[in-house]
């Protein structure tokens, strides 16, 4: 420290930075230069902190200076002169505070982090920097010399001017300063002159500090349009304002479907404002369910820390946009710390519960909204079912299905299904395929339709991976109607007249001979009403839709063998029995059998080539037209 003199009267003291500080400054200037704009975020964030402190102090301290002053941040620039001034009416600093705060690295670990940053220079993205407050010193990215004039809000305080070129020393002198607070001024380096443009300042403020809780003025103009909405209670929120905020943070062009304000105090303290978009985000549409890199914004004490914080929500819920603001993390946390912090784990757990409760309430109180939501995000709920075991029960209640008893685009829940099923029905039935129309036309449905038994119609490709994993609901097993082991015995088709064994057995035998290795077995059906045959899977076989999906993912998967069920009360089957009695070598019998089998395959989308099918069809038409 050395004493110089200023105008011969007021002493100017010169101080030396600690060695560590020099290294830090060097790193800031040479490593972070790719994102110089963050200097403004840091200065505003400091000003905002200082304002928060003075706001708090004035609650209890009657004697602070300028108790009535407006709490605000004022920026002014001179585009021609390349000068910049930012001024706040916050707590200010005493001389001791100036030395302690602007002469040393406040946080331990800061330097280590900076060095790590430098080593991985290729990964120096804005997001990474965003998690780390490089603080006041980031200003040296855009200028060669900074002046800080400050006066503490403490009664009887003096003003001080701090000045440094970030080269190893700084000076402090006493000045006259009328108001409390801090004023920081400097001239931009030529390479940073863009920041002396009004539009640029406005842009940066909007990007990083739009929701700072105090007005930020550039000249007369207030730059931050909206204050921290998430700090308000539900009754204080106005829909249009909230939607404007949503569109801003989520980059959506339309309003949100719904929003949820959250306020939690206890083990952790945080406020959140969450949004349900009307439509699925593009990555979900284009890359099926991929929400890997999404998440709400993380604020700590009203300062934006991370734009898309993945750790706030489990992946399947990351389509939810919004802001989470907590008091329980430090502003200077790194991504690793955020990730592994018990605070984050607790916030995630609480948020997940709140969100699922929100869906539940929507389903109950605003079914139309819930439907829109479910159409866009239903697949995501199903993914959650297989990843979030803690909330599995809740997620199962949220599932919605079309069924044989709903219209197209109408839904039933498992609860409703289970409550309205007949007393002697023991199982919950589902049928999976590619579309409602295709499902409704399937012969396997005939029995159920005839008996008035409700069948869930699953046409979402995800369904086949998810629904079987539910196993049972309300102690009722979920079962695919194409499984061979459904018990039809108690509800036999009374109207039908089955073939006697002596006629039936030769039919089954000849079917087996004709189809050979193509099928696992040929058996008498109890489920068919108007179709002659159908294909089902064995007890342990895969549902056909499931098999199709598996094949799409793994093309060399061998096809599982199916069982052909034959409707012995159908005229075609009865006629075949008659033809066998007359002459079992009549080639028309085998042609008809092959055709019936391939027709069933065709219906399921499992017929690979239609050439043989068509020529056989012509053969049969020829025979039919000949006999007339
Ligand atoms: P951080 O803000 O992360 O603590 P900084 O290097 O940005 O680190 O600032 C160091 C300290 O300087 C702050 O903690 C604060 O005490 C003080 N400070 C900075 N700017 C202001 C300001 N505008 N008003 C009052 N104090 C300030």
């Amino acid at each position: 420290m050395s004493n110089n003199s200023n105008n011969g009267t007021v002493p100017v003291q010169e101080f030396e930075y600690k060695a560590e500080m020099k290294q830090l400054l060097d790193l800031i200037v040479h490593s972070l230069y790719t994102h110089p704009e963050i200097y403004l975020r840091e200065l505003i964030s400091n000003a905002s902190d200082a304002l928060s402190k003075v706001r708090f102090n004035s609650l209890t301290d009657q004697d602070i200076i300028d108790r009535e002053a407006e709490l605000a941040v004022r920026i002014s620039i001179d585009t021609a002169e390349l000068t910049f001034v930012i001024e706040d009416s916050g707590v200010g600093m005493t001389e001791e505070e100036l030395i302690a705060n602007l002469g040393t690295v406040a946080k331990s670990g800061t330097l280590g982090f900076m060095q790590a940053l430098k080593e991985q220079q290729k990964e120096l993205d804005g997001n990474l920097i965003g998690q780390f407050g490089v603080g006041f010193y980031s200003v040296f990215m855009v200028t060669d010399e900074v002046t800080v004039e400050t006066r503490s809000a403490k009664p009887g305080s003096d003003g001080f001017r701090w000045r440094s070129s970030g080269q190893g020393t700084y000076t402090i002198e006493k000045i006259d300063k009328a108001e409390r607070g801090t004023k920081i001024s400097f001239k931009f380096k030529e390479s940073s002159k863009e920041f002396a443009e009004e539009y640029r300042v406005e842009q940066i403020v909007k990007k990083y500090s739009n929701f700072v809780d105090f007005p930020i003025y550039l000249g007369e103009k207030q730059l931050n349009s909206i204050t921290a909405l998430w700090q308000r209670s539900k009754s204080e929120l106005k829909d249009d304002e909230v939607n404007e905020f949503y569109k801003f943070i989520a980059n959506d062009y339309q309003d949100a479907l719904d929003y949820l304000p959250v306020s939690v105090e206890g083990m952790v303290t945080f406020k959140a404002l969450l949004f349900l978009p009307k439509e699925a985000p593009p990555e979900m549409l284009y890359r099926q369910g991929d929400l890997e890199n999404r998440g709400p914004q993380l604020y700590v004490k009203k300062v934006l820390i991370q734009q898309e914080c993945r750790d706030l929500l489990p992946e399947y819920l990351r389509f939810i946009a919004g802001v989470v603001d907590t008091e329980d993390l430090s502003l200077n946390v790194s991504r690793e710390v955020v990730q592994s912090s018990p605070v984050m784990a607790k916030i995630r757990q609480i948020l997940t519960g709140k969100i699922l409760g929100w869906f539940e309430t929507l389903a109950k109180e605003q079914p139309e909204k819930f439907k829109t939501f479910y159409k866009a995000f239903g697949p995501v709920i199903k993914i959650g079912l297989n990843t979030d075991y803690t909330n599995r029960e809740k997620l199962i209640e949220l599932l919605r299905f079309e069924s044989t008893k709903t219209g197209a685009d109408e839904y039933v829940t498992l609860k409703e299904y289970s409550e309205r099923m007949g007393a002697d029905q023991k199982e919950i039935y589902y049928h999976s395929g590619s579309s409602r129309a295709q499902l409704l036309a399937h012969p396997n449905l005939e029995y159920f339709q005839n008996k008035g038994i409700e069948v869930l119609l699953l046409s979402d490709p995800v369904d086949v991976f998810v629904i079987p994993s539910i196993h049972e609901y309300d102690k009722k097993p979920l079962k695919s109607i194409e499984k061979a082991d459904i018990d039809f015995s108690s509800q036999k088709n009374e109207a039908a007249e089955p073939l006697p064994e002596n006629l039936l057995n030769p039919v089954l035998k000849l079917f087996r001979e004709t189809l050979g290795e193509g099928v696992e077995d040929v058996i008498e059906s109890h489920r068919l009403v108007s179709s002659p045959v159908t294909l089902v899977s064995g007890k342990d076989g895969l549902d056909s839709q499931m098999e199709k999906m598996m094949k799409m993912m793994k093309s060399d998967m061998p096809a599982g063998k199916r069982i052909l069920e034959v409707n012995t009360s159908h005229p075609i089957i009865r006629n075949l029995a008659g033809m066998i009695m007359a002459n079992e070598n009549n080639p028309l019998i085998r042609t008809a059998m092959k055709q019936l089998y391939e027709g069933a395959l065709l219906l399921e989308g499992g017929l690979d080539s239609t050439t043989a099918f068509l020529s056989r069809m012509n053969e049969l038409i020829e025979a039919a037209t000949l006999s007339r």
Side-chain angles (χ1 to χ4, degrees), residues 46-47 49-50 53 88 91-93 101-102 106-107 135-137 182 184 332:
N46 282 346
D49 283 350
K53 282 181 200 158
D88 66 66
V91 277
M93 284 174 271
N101 294 337
L102 299 188
K107 307 276 177 326
F136 168 77
Y137 307 102
T182 303
I184 296 170
N332 280 358

Side-chain angles (χ1 to χ4, degrees), residues 24-154:
L24 180 64
L25 284 167
D26 187 66
L27 279 167
I28 287 170
V29 175
H30 295 108
S31 296
L32 292 181
Y33 64 92
T34 46
H35 295 86
E37 63 180 38
I38 63 161
Y39 86 90
L40 188 50
R41 177 189 73 188
E42 297 300 325
L43 293 183
I44 291 175
S45 153
N46 282 346
S48 164
D49 283 350
L51 288 163
S52 301
K53 282 181 200 158
V54 89
R55 179 164 62 184
F56 180 77
N57 291 350
S58 66
L59 292 177
T60 51
D61 191 345
Q62 303 296 320
D63 301 327
I64 63 166
I65 297 176
D66 305 330
R67 200 154 170 270
E68 304 301 319
E70 185 193 1
L71 298 175
V73 182
R74 293 180 191 281
I75 298 170
S76 52
I77 49 177
D78 186 322
T79 311
E81 294 294 320
L82 298 185
T83 54
F84 174 94
V85 179
I86 181 169
E87 200 168 0
D88 66 66
S89 47
V91 277
M93 284 174 271
T94 62
E95 186 174 18
E96 295 72 44
E97 285 168 343
L98 256 183
I99 295 170
N101 294 337
L102 299 188
T104 51
V105 188
K107 307 276 177 326
S108 65
T110 301
L111 190 61
F113 184 78
M114 294 297 299
Q115 245 139 13
L117 267 188
K118 192 184 182 183
E119 274 151 33
Q120 326 152 8
Q121 198 165 7
K122 53 184 187 308
E123 288 175 39
L124 262 183
D125 60 24
N127 206 10
L128 195 58
I129 292 167
Q131 291 145 46
F132 180 79
V134 289
F136 168 77
Y137 307 102
S138 61
V139 75
F140 287 111
M141 289 188 286
V142 296
T143 186
D144 292 323
E145 191 186 54
V146 182
T147 302
V148 178
E149 292 172 344
T150 186
R151 184 176 169 206
S152 168
K154 286 178 189 151

Side-chain angles (χ1 to χ4, degrees), residues 290-338:
D290 187 356
L291 293 164
E292 172 72 11
N293 290 314
R294 287 196 148 243
Q297 298 186 336
L298 174 65
Y299 274 69
V300 173
K301 304 177 187 111
K302 300 198 189 94
V303 176
L304 180 61
I305 297 294
Q306 217 172 310
Q307 279 283 0
E308 302 199 310
C309 182
R310 305 168 27 166
D311 308 305
L312 285 167
L313 292 174
E315 181 171 348
Y316 74 100
L317 291 179
R318 285 194 211 134
F319 61 89
I320 289 175
V323 171
V324 177
D325 189 350
T326 179
E327 304 277 313
D328 296 337
L329 286 170
S330 130
L331 263 175
N332 280 358
V333 287
S334 70
R335 168 172 286 185
E336 290 66 32
V337 173
V338 167

Side-chain angles (χ1 to χ4, degrees), residues 162-204:
W162 177 101
R163 189 173 273 164
S164 176
S165 54
Q167 298 287 323
T169 61
Y170 59 93
T171 60
I172 292 181
E173 65 190 298
K174 200 165 156 186
I175 54 164
D176 284 334
K177 189 175 186 301
E179 285 99 28
R180 72 152 197 247
T182 303
K183 176 178 175 181
I184 296 170
S185 45
F186 56 85
K187 187 174 157 103
F188 287 112
K189 291 180 199 175
E190 191 56 30
S191 58
S192 296
K193 65 176 183 206
E194 57 176 301
F195 301 119
E197 302 282 345
E198 266 185 40
Y199 86 93
R200 195 72 176 97
V201 172
E202 182 162 355
Q203 195 183 42
I204 300 168

Side-chain angles (χ1 to χ4, degrees), residues 325-393:
D325 189 350
T326 179
E327 304 277 313
D328 296 337
L329 286 170
S330 130
L331 263 175
N332 280 358
V333 287
S334 70
R335 168 172 286 185
E336 290 66 32
V337 173
V338 167
Q339 242 168 22
S340 56
S341 158
V343 173
M344 286 301 272
K346 194 76 202 156
I347 293 178
R348 181 167 57 232
Q349 185 202 338
I350 295 174
L351 279 180
T352 306
K354 296 259 179 205
I355 289 168
L356 296 182
W358 178 22
F359 296 165
E360 228 177 276
T361 314
L362 271 186
K364 241 181 263 154
E365 292 168 10
Q366 303 187 66
E368 279 308 306
K369 251 189 198 177
F370 183 80
K371 206 161 131 179
T372 311
F373 155 72
Y374 195 80
K375 269 195 194 162
F377 299 105
V380 171
I381 298 294
K382 292 170 193 165
I383 291 166
L385 213 68
N386 279 352
T387 51
D388 184 356
Y389 295 103
T390 331
N391 291 300
R392 206 174 145 79
E393 299 304 314

Side-chain angles (χ1 to χ4, degrees), residues 515-529:
L515 303 180
E517 292 295 300
V519 293
E520 188 182 307
D521 201 2
V522 181
I523 59 172
E524 181 181 11
S525 181
H526 300 291
R527 73 176 85 209
L528 291 173
V529 178

